[in-house]
Amino acid sequence: MSLEAEEKLTASKEDIEEAEKFKTQANECFKKQDFNTAIELYTKAIEKNPYLAVYYANRSFAYLKTECFGYALSDASKAIELDKTYVKGFYRRATANMSLGKWKEALKDYEYVTKVRPTDKDAKLKYNECNKIVKKIAFEKAISVEDNKKNIADTINLEAMSIENDYIGPELENGKVTVNFMLGLMDLYKNQGKLHRKYAYKILLDIKSYFMKQPSLIDVSIGDNDKFTVCGDVHGQFYDLMNIFELNGLPSETNPYLFNGDFVDRGSFSVECIFTLFGFKLLYPNHFFMSRGNHESATMNQMYGFDGEVKSKYTAQMAELFTEVYNWLPLAHCLNKRVIVMHGGLFSRDDVTLEEIRKIDRNRQPPEEGPMCELLWSDPQPQNGRAPSKRGVGCQFGPDVTNQFLELNKLDYVIRSHEVKNDGYEVAHNGKCITVFSAPNYCDTMGNKGAFITLNGKDMIPNYTTYEAVPHPNVKPMAYANTLLSLMC
């Protein structure tokens, strides 16, 4: 008998009963979509009785719901280690790997499930869907060798696109975005209309040309008496984006904004969000700023809905063009040489400088490690030091890491996004690391508030405005997401 098996036999009856109580409470919280409390309770169950696979599998599922894919993967693997016949553990691990874009690993687990449960229709469906994706990726990789120099933007022929007589939406004036165009575009979208493909393509081509000329780190100057607004993730929640403008005023040369990544995915009005934001960027290039988020990437877009939404509302060609555009989005902004803003967070190295960020070669899909990856994926943690990321990508960094980075680069504090917060924002690391998240009631389930930050150039003190979600048309989040995600067990 192994040592672990012997230890398992020594678990007291009281601990076993206590663990079951915690699991029951956790399950209730999970049903109410209070996933963070569920995680805490599953953890208590594990502390009382760390030998039951179901506790780890359940916590893995809760971690999946909170996008802690790295932790979810670890828990699922632990469940399998404890019980190699526990099918749900393989399901969870497959889902975690899939969420991290590790399709081959996910396919192995689905394949195992179909072998041990040959009559399980759900398992067979997931295996087939995952297998399709693996084959599709392999095919695309094969042909990409031939098309390596192919540039989608160069294949777009705007002249060949005619405007139909029955089109009633806004029109570019001499090929340019104007205030009237933007007002018309927002009204069109509020009424669930669609921008003509010719204008949509023109905006994408123009915005790509603009971003290609920008460095990876943008310096932003704010006058002493000028207001500046920083928004976090909006994730395709167009009607909440409109509410931000209602509360804080439309973007203009006297009302500048920075949107800090994750404009798309999950919410099913991502096309409306991104064309509104790109339109304002073209209208006010020196007073409207956009940072790349981890969801401005091909893998995330294929999984979480944006790719499917663009193909549904426009074409597969446009979806590819978006990928090209996103590769050129700046990675960070420095406000008045005092505040750095990036989507994710800080680094696994202590010596990263603003100059290094400025020179990052960003025209690519996010790598799995290094400064570019960490700018998009990292998260703060309350304790000092660093830890592996709960997401499985990037790193977690403590207050000492933040202080050292700020001192090295002579900065006051960091603003980042990337994480749902109940109040829409969170101040951590003794006020030196601020999270802002602008998608209220994220995915129509989380019940969180949204927030944005306003500051002025003189003192750069952050002020927080919070707000609730507003109604939207009856199109559910993830409506265009990968089929496998909607099948998640």
Side-chain angles (χ1 to χ4, degrees):
M1 184 178 288
S2 70
L3 178 62
E4 183 178 276
E6 287 177 12
E7 288 176 351
K8 186 174 180 180
L9 293 175
T10 63
S12 70
K13 182 181 177 183
E14 289 80 8
D15 281 347
I16 291 170
E17 289 175 353
E18 199 71 19
E20 278 299 298
K21 287 179 184 176
F22 284 131
K23 185 193 86 166
T24 301
Q25 293 170 15
N27 288 348
E28 287 303 312
C29 289
F30 191 97
K31 287 174 188 173
K32 295 173 184 173
Q33 298 182 327
D34 183 359
F35 303 120
N36 288 321
T37 304
I39 288 167
E40 291 173 13
L41 290 165
Y42 287 134
T43 301
K44 288 180 179 179
I46 288 167
E47 288 167 356
K48 289 291 180 183
N49 183 7
Y51 306 113
L52 273 188
V54 64
Y55 297 163
Y56 293 94
N58 285 6
R59 190 172 67 173
S60 176
F61 200 11
Y63 276 136
L64 286 168
K65 293 292 187 180
T66 56
E67 301 183 19
C68 298
F69 304 130
Y71 287 176
L73 183 61
S74 176
D75 269 359
S77 296
K78 181 65 177 177
I80 294 166
E81 180 188 318
L82 288 170
D83 184 352
K84 291 182 171 54
T85 64
Y86 187 53
V87 171
K88 199 167 277 189
F90 288 92
Y91 264 127
R92 298 285 181 261
R93 191 167 70 180
T95 305
N97 273 318
M98 187 183 68
S99 300
L100 289 164
K102 297 179 178 180
W103 300 101
K104 286 184 179 178
E105 290 87 341
L107 184 61
K108 288 177 186 175
D109 284 336
Y110 285 135
E111 186 175 21
Y112 170 82
V113 175
T114 58
K115 284 181 179 177
V116 298
R117 285 188 178 175
T119 60
D120 187 331
K121 291 181 181 178
D122 179 68
K124 189 68 177 174
L125 180 60
K126 288 176 179 173
Y127 171 78
N128 288 338
E129 285 295 324
C130 194
N131 197 27
K132 281 181 198 172
I133 293 166
V134 170
K135 288 180 176 177
K136 180 172 180 278
I137 290 170
F139 174 73
E140 288 173 349
K141 190 175 181 181
I143 64 171
S144 71
V145 176
E146 301 170 17
D147 293 344
N148 204 22
K149 296 180 180 178
K150 181 181 174 184
N151 192 321
I152 297 298
D154 294 339
T155 69
I156 308 299
N157 183 357
L158 291 175
E159 298 302 317
M161 298 180 195
S162 57
I163 308 294
E164 294 79 9
N165 292 331
D166 60 353
Y167 175 67
I168 57 171
E171 300 187 12
L172 296 174
E173 296 176 28
N174 298 318
K176 301 292 184 184
V177 172
T178 62
V179 172
N180 283 338
F181 175 85
M182 290 307 301
L183 293 174
L185 181 65
M186 289 184 289
D187 281 340
L188 179 76
Y189 284 157
K190 287 174 188 175
N191 293 306
Q192 300 181 69
K194 188 173 85 170
L195 179 65
H196 194 279
R197 66 187 182 284
K198 182 170 186 173
Y199 300 134
Y201 273 113
K202 181 70 164 68
I203 286 172
L204 289 175
L205 294 175
D206 287 353
I207 204 76
K208 183 187 177 191
S209 295
Y210 178 86
F211 282 136
M212 285 175 70
K213 299 169 188 172
Q214 304 304 303
S216 291
L217 171 67
I218 306 290
D219 290 294
V220 179
S221 296
I222 307 165
D224 281 356
N225 299 313
D226 294 341
K227 181 180 87 167
F228 190 86
T229 302
V230 181
C231 297
D233 309 38
V234 293
H235 271 301
Q237 297 184 197
F238 173 75
Y239 294 87
D240 293 306
L241 172 62
M242 291 298 96
N243 189 40
I244 293 172
F245 293 154
E246 186 73 25
L247 294 169
N248 194 54
L250 287 173
S252 69
E253 292 181 354
T254 57
N255 193 27
Y257 279 83
L258 164 56
F259 279 83
N260 195 28
D262 281 14
F263 321 115
V264 301
D265 278 341
R266 295 197 177 272
S268 295
F269 304 96
S270 291
V271 163
E272 290 80 359
C273 281
I274 196 62
F275 278 121
T276 300
L277 296 173
F278 278 167
F280 276 121
K281 179 62 185 172
L282 290 172
L283 182 58
Y284 303 116
N286 300 316
H287 298 87
F288 193 90
F289 304 92
M290 299 174 70
S291 294
R292 189 176 188 175
N294 64 305
H295 276 266
E296 278 69 59
S297 73
T299 301
M300 292 290 110
N301 293 165
Q302 286 163 9
M303 289 167 54
Y304 291 100
F306 183 64
D307 185 72
E309 185 179 339
V310 176
K311 288 174 179 174
S312 173
K313 295 177 179 178
Y314 289 100
T315 62
Q317 180 193 48
M318 184 180 285
E320 290 185 63
L321 180 56
F322 266 110
T323 298
E324 281 185 12
V325 174
Y326 288 161
N327 283 352
W328 286 105
L329 280 165
L331 302 176
H333 293 75
C334 189
L335 312 181
N336 275 7
K337 300 182 179 179
R338 293 176 63 182
V339 177
I340 187 167
V341 187
M342 78 285 282
H343 179 74
L346 298 181
F347 311 98
S348 53
R349 289 178 17 229
D350 284 331
D351 59 348
V352 176
T353 62
L354 297 185
E355 196 56 31
E356 180 179 348
I357 298 170
R358 198 182 316 278
K359 293 178 179 176
I360 289 174
D361 177 12
R362 70 185 186 280
N363 179 26
R364 52 184 168 151
Q365 288 303 292
E368 293 190 7
E369 59 184 11
M372 179 174 170
C373 166
E374 291 156 358
L375 282 164
L376 301 180
W377 279 97
S378 290
D379 296 290
Q381 64 180 21
Q383 66 273 27
N384 279 339
R386 295 180 174 90
S389 171
K390 61 190 178 184
R391 301 173 188 269
V393 189
C395 72
Q396 290 178 199
F397 58 96
D400 56 330
V401 175
T402 299
N403 285 334
Q404 192 161 350
F405 175 81
L406 294 174
E407 286 176 15
L408 176 65
N409 291 286
K410 297 179 173 61
L411 297 168
D412 293 352
Y413 61 91
V414 172
I415 297 177
R416 42 90 62 183
S417 302
H418 195 40
E419 286 183 286
V420 183
K421 298 297 176 184
N422 285 339
D423 293 324
Y425 72 96
E426 182 179 78
V427 181
H429 295 183
N430 302 310
K432 301 292 188 181
C433 182
I434 298 167
T435 298
V436 60
F437 191 86
S438 301
N441 194 25
Y442 181 47
C443 288
D444 285 1
T445 60
M446 298 301 285
N448 60 291
K449 292 179 181 176
F452 55 80
I453 296 171
T454 52
L455 46 82
N456 66 56
K458 187 173 184 179
D459 58 32
M460 299 295 285
I461 295 172
N463 300 288
Y464 308 98
T465 300
T466 64
Y467 49 90
E468 303 284 352
V470 297
H472 64 73
N474 188 25
V475 183
K476 292 180 180 179
M478 305 284 280
Y480 302 95
N482 183 281
T483 310
L484 258 179
L485 286 177
S486 63
L487 295 172
M488 273 196 336
C489 71

